[in-house]
Structures are given as structure tokens and as C-alpha cells.
Amino acid sequence: MTSIGGAEMVDWKLAVATATRLVRPGPEVSREEAREVVAELRRHAKTSEEHVRAFTRMSPPGGGPESQDAETPVLVVDRAGWIKANVAGFRALLSPLLEKMQSRRGGTAVLGAVGGKVTGVELGMLLSFLASRVLGQYETFAPAAKDLPGSANGGRLLLVAPNIVHVERELEVDPHDFRLWVCLHEETHRTQFTAVPWLRDHIEGEIQAFLAETEVDPATLLERIREAAQSLAGGKPPEEGEERGARSIVDLVQTPAQRAILGRLTAVMSLLEGHADYVMDGVGPQVVPSVVEIREKFQQRRASGAGRLDAALRKLLGLDAKLRQYRDGERFVRAVVDEVGMDGFNRVWTSPNTLPTKAEIAKPADWIARVHRKPEG
């Protein structure tokens, strides 16, 4: 239990309640339309599985589609459902860090003063911001729960129905095509983790090593969360070039060892996101008639953001880096497949040693030379 004097450092239940209360309502839909959206997303998730496997030539070892369905459920959720699922995942993943912070004498008094409830409220405010923006998510470290089933080893695919409907209306694209297009991207992530058994443990090990190196003062971490929460609540966003606006939460934990780990994590996340975009575009022309229009409008939306407040929060939360991961990773995958074909690219999934480095993401030829070089003699 991550607590001080019997009180949790983060009141997770309050975080869920706060985020659920503050999250913006989804688009207006009738009950019948909502049922149709959910049913269609489920159908598209199943169809996407077949398309993604055929295109990527990846499948779970020793199992067919039925085994994947049983291991990694597809959940169509609303914004409140996404919040609840992610709080559960955050709680499980961050537990070692919170335990370490609790043991630090310097942070005990501060955390005792701030209180787990205040921290829970602030975390809830951030989650309310994110909950209206995520279209889909493969939850890699999801603990199973009665109302949120997951695989035995963690893992479930979430499709956030109100957000998908909101974006398809905002972009004025064909809703049926857009829903399938989104499912293709998210299904690729599910395929990555089910077809590569070591991938989940590898990433979790890197994250835990990263957290184990954290020496951040708890008060500083809470202050950074507070900055984001205050911006979200309507406070003045930082001006361009201000130090506060230039920092992200990730910047707080940058020991030399962490920088090395973060470089490896950035590379693998760029690979996963870029691969999903590449597959989405590769399958799209055959099964999504309006894929060109969707892709163009969606890229414009990604690049534009939603104003200064949104831009400030994206920088603070490190989300700008995620947008770069889509772009850089997709370029890497495309360059490798063009040079050595899909089977040649799939050697990336052989072991952690064949994953690209951060430098190789930028220079795909270096990865090809390393992984595909002929043995001497």
C-alpha cells in the first residue's frame, strides 16, 4: 500500500471520481445509434484482426484467432470506462515508484500536507483531459477486473466510442470507413503484443528500471502535476519560451541511467506506433474506400492541436513526443520494408537485441546493416 500514516499517497478512487465528473460529455447520440456504433466497432475489430495478420504476417505462436480473442478482449467503452481502466493500469505500473517516494524522508512531510486526496483530484483532472482525446488503446499492463476483463498476463484492447464518433463528425468523413480505419491501427498493437510474447515483459522491465532510478523529490513531482491541473482548470497557460512551458513531466526524471533507458523506450514506442500507422495505411486502400481523405484530415488534426491551452498541456505531459513517434517510426518501418521486404522487417521482433535503437529509428539503413549483415567468413 502506497500510504503515509495510513493515508494513500494517491487517492485512486477519488482520481476516478474526479475525472469522471469533470470529463466533457460525449457527442449526442440516440440510444439506438449508440448500440449500432458499439456493434460496428466490435465487427471492425474482428475484421481488422484478419487484415492485420495477413498484411504483417504476424500471429500468436501456436494459436489461432480464437486463442487471441480469449487472451486479449476487445472492450468498447465510454470516457468513464477509459478513465477507470487507465487508473487501474497506472496504479499497478507506478506502485514501485510510489513506494520509493513514500520511503523518502524529504517527501513524507510534504505529501502528508498535500494529502492523497489532493493528489487524487489533480490526477483526475489530467485524466479528464486525456479521456476525451484517446480513440483507442491497447492496454499492455491492464490488471483484470470483474467489469474490465483482461488477459491472464495483462492486456486488453479499448475502443472509446464517443471519441471516435466525435472525431468522425469533426473531420466530416465517412463514419463506417473511419471506424474501421481506427480499428486497424489499434488491432495492430494487439497483434504486436500477442505475436511477440517477450515484448510485454521487455517493456515492463524497462519501465520498472526507469522508475527504480527515479530520484525526483515528491514535492517537485506533485508541483508539476499541479501545474498541469491548474492549466486544465482554466489557469493562464505558460507563454511561449517560458521555462515552465518548456518542461514536461518526463523531464523530471533524467538521471544518466534513465536517459539511456528512455532512449530505448522511445525507440521501441516509435517502432510500435510507426508500425501501426504503416499497417493502417497499407491495409487501408483495400478495405477503406475513403482512406486518402481520412488520412489527410487526420494528419492535419494531429498537427494542429486545439489551441494554446491544449498545446501547453501536450508539452507538459510529453504528448508532443508521441506525435513525433508516429512520424519517425512510420518512416523507419517504410524504409526497412522497402529495402528488405516484410519478412526482413519482421526480424525486428526476434529479440530485444533486434529492436532498433533511437539512432537507428532515424537511420534505418544502420538497423538493416546491423541486423541483416552477412556473417564474416
Side-chain angles (χ1 to χ4, degrees):
M1 178 71 68
T2 52
S3 61
I4 296 175
E8 285 193 275
M9 288 175 60
V10 179
D11 189 327
W12 298 103
K13 290 183 179 180
L14 185 57
V16 172
T18 300
T20 302
R21 177 170 54 85
L22 295 179
V23 71
R24 292 182 295 181
E28 292 187 8
V29 295
S30 66
R31 183 169 299 179
E32 180 61 28
E33 184 180 2
R35 283 196 293 264
E36 291 175 357
V37 170
V38 171
E40 184 173 19
L41 287 173
R42 292 188 183 281
R43 290 195 304 270
H44 284 333
K46 178 63 178 177
T47 302
S48 296
E49 178 186 335
E50 300 168 3
H51 292 311
V52 169
R53 288 190 183 192
F55 185 81
T56 63
R57 304 175 193 174
M58 298 172 67
S59 60
E66 295 79 8
S67 64
Q68 180 171 345
D69 288 340
E71 291 178 359
T72 54
V74 177
L75 306 180
V76 181
V77 298
D78 58 11
R79 291 170 177 175
W82 181 89
I83 290 166
K84 186 174 183 179
N86 275 264
V87 166
F90 290 155
R91 184 174 188 174
L93 197 60
L94 295 178
S95 178
L97 174 61
L98 295 178
E99 293 287 356
K100 181 176 181 178
M101 290 172 63
Q102 175 197 350
S103 68
R104 291 175 61 90
R105 293 182 179 180
T108 301
V110 175
L111 286 170
V114 174
K117 291 189 180 300
V118 173
T119 308
V121 168
E122 291 169 342
L123 178 61
M125 293 172 72
L126 293 183
L127 287 170
S128 71
F129 165 77
L130 296 172
S132 62
R133 285 157 174 78
V134 176
L135 301 182
Q137 174 186 4
Y138 182 78
E139 271 204 301
T140 315
F141 310 108
K146 184 177 181 180
D147 54 343
L148 288 170
S151 68
N153 295 322
R156 57 181 166 234
L157 182 62
L158 304 178
L159 297 170
V160 191
N163 295 351
I164 294 173
V165 172
H166 171 78
V167 174
E168 70 193 25
R169 291 179 179 178
E170 177 186 307
L171 299 182
E172 297 182 337
V173 293
D174 182 279
H176 309 293
D177 284 3
F178 184 74
R179 293 166 195 174
L180 177 55
W181 189 73
V182 170
C183 287
L184 287 170
H185 182 100
E186 303 307 331
E187 178 57 41
T188 301
H189 287 316
R190 186 165 74 139
T191 296
Q192 290 163 347
F193 283 92
T194 56
V196 186
W198 55 264
L199 186 59
R200 178 191 180 278
D201 289 342
H202 171 71
I203 293 177
E204 183 177 24
E206 293 279 53
I207 292 173
Q208 294 303 335
F210 184 86
L211 296 178
E213 289 287 332
T214 297
E215 296 297 337
V216 62
D217 176 14
T220 305
L221 178 61
L222 293 179
E223 176 60 26
R224 190 61 57 85
I225 294 175
R226 189 169 300 108
E227 288 176 1
Q230 288 172 349
S231 294
L232 195 62
K236 179 178 176 291
E239 297 293 340
E240 187 69 26
E242 282 186 4
E243 180 185 3
R244 177 180 161 193
R247 300 178 300 177
S248 75
I249 289 175
V250 173
D251 293 332
L252 285 169
V253 280
Q254 291 293 286
T255 67
Q258 282 182 311
R259 281 194 290 272
I261 298 170
L262 186 60
R264 295 194 297 269
L265 280 170
T266 298
V268 72
M269 296 312 296
S270 296
L271 170 69
L272 298 180
E273 296 294 357
H275 184 235
D277 266 12
Y278 178 81
V279 172
M280 184 169 58
D281 288 346
V283 174
Q286 285 73 48
V287 299
V288 182
S290 59
V291 65
V292 174
E293 176 191 5
I294 290 173
R295 183 64 159 156
E296 180 180 353
K297 289 183 175 180
F298 194 76
Q299 287 288 66
Q300 291 173 352
R301 182 180 185 273
R302 267 185 183 170
S304 65
R308 291 184 64 236
L309 176 59
D310 190 73
L313 284 167
R314 280 168 37 153
K315 182 179 292 291
L316 191 64
L317 297 171
L319 298 183
D320 284 340
K322 185 174 178 66
L323 297 181
R324 290 193 296 273
Q325 288 170 6
Y326 284 103
R327 182 187 65 237
D328 297 343
E330 195 275 341
R331 279 201 298 251
F332 170 84
V333 175
R334 184 173 301 279
V336 172
V337 174
D338 287 348
E339 182 69 23
V340 298
M342 184 63 75
D343 289 335
F345 165 78
N346 280 341
R347 290 182 64 175
V348 77
W349 311 117
T350 304
S351 75
N353 292 330
T354 56
L355 291 172
T357 65
K358 189 176 180 180
E360 288 170 341
I361 288 288
K363 295 183 177 180
D366 290 353
W367 180 86
I368 294 172
R370 176 172 67 86
V371 174
H372 288 267
R373 66 177 180 265
K374 295 180 180 179
E376 296 183 0

